Amino acid sequence: MGHCHTKVDQPSTDEVFSKLEIPSVLERAEELVRRYPVPRSALLPMLWLAQEVLGWLPQEAIRWAAGKCEVSPVHAYGVSMFYTMYKKEPTGRFFLQICQNVSCHVLGAEDIIAHAEKTLETTSHGGTTSDNLFTLLRVECLGACGNGPVMQVNDDFATDVVDGALAMPTGVSLTKERFDKIVAWCRQQAKSQQKEPVRDASGGAFRTGGHPGAKGANTAAQKPDYAPAPPVLGLSVQKTEDGKVKVTWRADAGVSALHLENRTNGTEFISLATLTGKDKEWVGELPAGTELRMVSESQGRRAKPSNIAKVEA
Ligand code: FES
């Protein structure tokens, strides 16, 4: 996993593909590809999707993602190796990642890592406890340096347990005592969950789920309102039988408005019609030679314009 690599039993192609080549996963894979102008741009979320389904990323899953994104398997493998969040081997139920990077290091991360290794009786290079509950990994900057030293438990930041949930309150960093508290919380969770969470035969962790985290640290709060609207793709123009012009495109249905603009003789684009994200086509009369483009808008922010399509004679 991550930067260290031990030998892992790899499931067969059939085992992996039988879990990924199913309608619910394929639908999401197709949706990911549609989001980008070229399939290769979807590689990171595609690997993430495979990991979500399998709990980790066997080599065959990387090959599957490569196929979906039209890149070579070795390219996808290289990308997956760069990020510690892609797991190249199954982990215990609680995947503890402790940051060893500069800020956390100077604030005492090494002491905590040593304590964690001792307490859990495993190594911090991807070691898993004998009861399969914990996998411990030292990682590079988790992007929460202000709270350093910090730890992630599965997909969530955790430097403390507050009101019975994992949390990373502002200014509260990980200490040996808080590490013990978090480990006790995890053990408690494991005990109180009557049923084992649904686990794949090939292993993998499950999300601890649902804790609010520090303000701004959970994904809900991070929904970027600064992101521009996704641009309109594949704008094209056809003539209808009655001589009108039909314009079609691909756009994210969630955008608040689509601005269809036109120009003649290479002058400035001017607004022709304003449509909604749900609209799929526009039909009207336009002289030959008119150039069209479309700009999507979300929360008052405009995306870069689509390609330009021209009305043929
Ligand atoms: S250095 Fe540890 S989170 Fe950035």
Side-chain angles (χ1 to χ4, degrees):
M1 122 172 18
H3 304 292
C4 88
H5 210 65
T6 46
K7 194 150 173 18
V8 183
D9 284 340
Q10 293 288 336
S12 70
T13 311
D14 280 357
E15 274 174 90
V16 169
F17 276 57
S18 67
K19 293 184 183 99
L20 295 174
E21 289 284 306
I22 59 170
S24 59
V25 177
L26 290 176
E27 208 174 286
R28 288 176 64 193
E30 277 158 26
E31 198 272 321
L32 289 177
V33 170
R34 271 202 304 275
R35 278 190 206 167
Y36 302 93
V38 290
R40 65 186 296 128
S41 306
L43 185 57
L44 291 180
M46 196 65 75
L47 290 167
W48 196 251
L49 172 63
Q51 175 162 293
E52 187 192 308
V53 175
L54 301 165
W56 64 293
L57 274 184
Q59 283 169 13
E60 286 305 302
I62 296 173
R63 205 165 66 79
W64 175 84
K68 294 288 175 244
C69 297
E70 297 173 19
V71 299
S72 70
V74 76
H75 175 83
Y77 182 72
V79 168
S80 78
M81 287 305 287
F82 184 77
Y83 299 98
T84 48
M85 66 208 195
Y86 295 122
K87 297 188 251 167
K88 263 65 80 189
E89 56 192 88
T91 60
R93 194 151 156 190
F94 298 97
F95 183 29
L96 312 181
Q97 301 176 74
I98 306 182
C99 172
Q100 65 169 0
N101 215 295
V102 183
S103 306
C104 293
H105 179 82
V106 296
L107 291 162
E110 209 49 49
D111 271 358
I112 299 171
I113 294 173
H115 172 76
E117 287 189 325
K118 202 162 141 227
T119 315
L120 299 176
E121 295 176 356
T122 187
T123 78
S124 59
H125 296 280
T128 298
T129 54
S130 50
D131 58 6
N132 224 8
L133 265 192
F134 299 99
T135 295
L136 183 62
L137 183 68
R138 45 173 77 229
V139 293
E140 301 308 330
C141 185
L142 288 170
C145 322
N147 264 66
V150 296
M151 174 166 78
Q152 217 176 293
V153 178
N154 293 344
D155 293 337
D156 302 317
F157 280 123
T159 56
D160 203 358
V161 178
V162 178
D163 297 330
L166 296 178
M168 186 174 72
T170 310
V172 176
S173 53
L174 191 66
T175 58
K176 291 182 203 170
E177 294 70 30
R178 294 199 189 107
F179 176 84
D180 291 345
K181 203 165 145 191
I182 291 165
V183 165
W185 180 90
C186 293
R187 291 195 194 284
Q188 191 52 42
Q189 288 285 304
K191 240 193 256 156
S192 62
Q193 251 138 16
Q194 305 282 320
K195 255 189 336 170
E196 269 283 302
V198 186
R199 290 246 267 163
D200 194 78
S202 39
F206 81 116
R207 265 186 69 89
T208 47
H211 89 88
K215 276 211 177 60
N218 61 350
T219 45
Q222 282 178 344
K223 277 242 168 73
D225 67 348
Y226 48 81
V232 174
L233 303 173
L235 190 78
S236 72
V237 177
Q238 285 123 35
K239 274 278 171 65
T240 62
E241 278 174 8
D242 51 359
K244 287 191 176 157
V245 169
K246 180 165 129 184
V247 187
T248 55
W249 58 86
R250 294 200 309 277
D252 186 315
V255 300
S256 39
L258 295 172
H259 304 280
L260 184 61
E261 302 176 338
N262 69 330
R263 70 172 180 191
T264 41
N265 306 325
T267 50
E268 292 276 295
F269 274 101
I270 52 164
S271 174
L272 175 64
T274 300
L275 305 146
T276 75
K278 304 240 160 27
D279 288 317
K280 295 273 178 280
E281 59 173 53
W282 178 91
V283 180
E285 287 179 38
L286 288 170
T290 305
E291 289 182 304
L292 292 158
R293 72 175 188 187
M294 190 173 258
V295 183
S296 63
E297 182 185 328
S298 245
Q299 294 164 345
R301 294 183 182 87
R302 286 179 175 228
K304 64 175 197 236
S306 70
N307 58 306
I308 296 173
K310 201 168 180 177
V311 180
E312 301 298 339

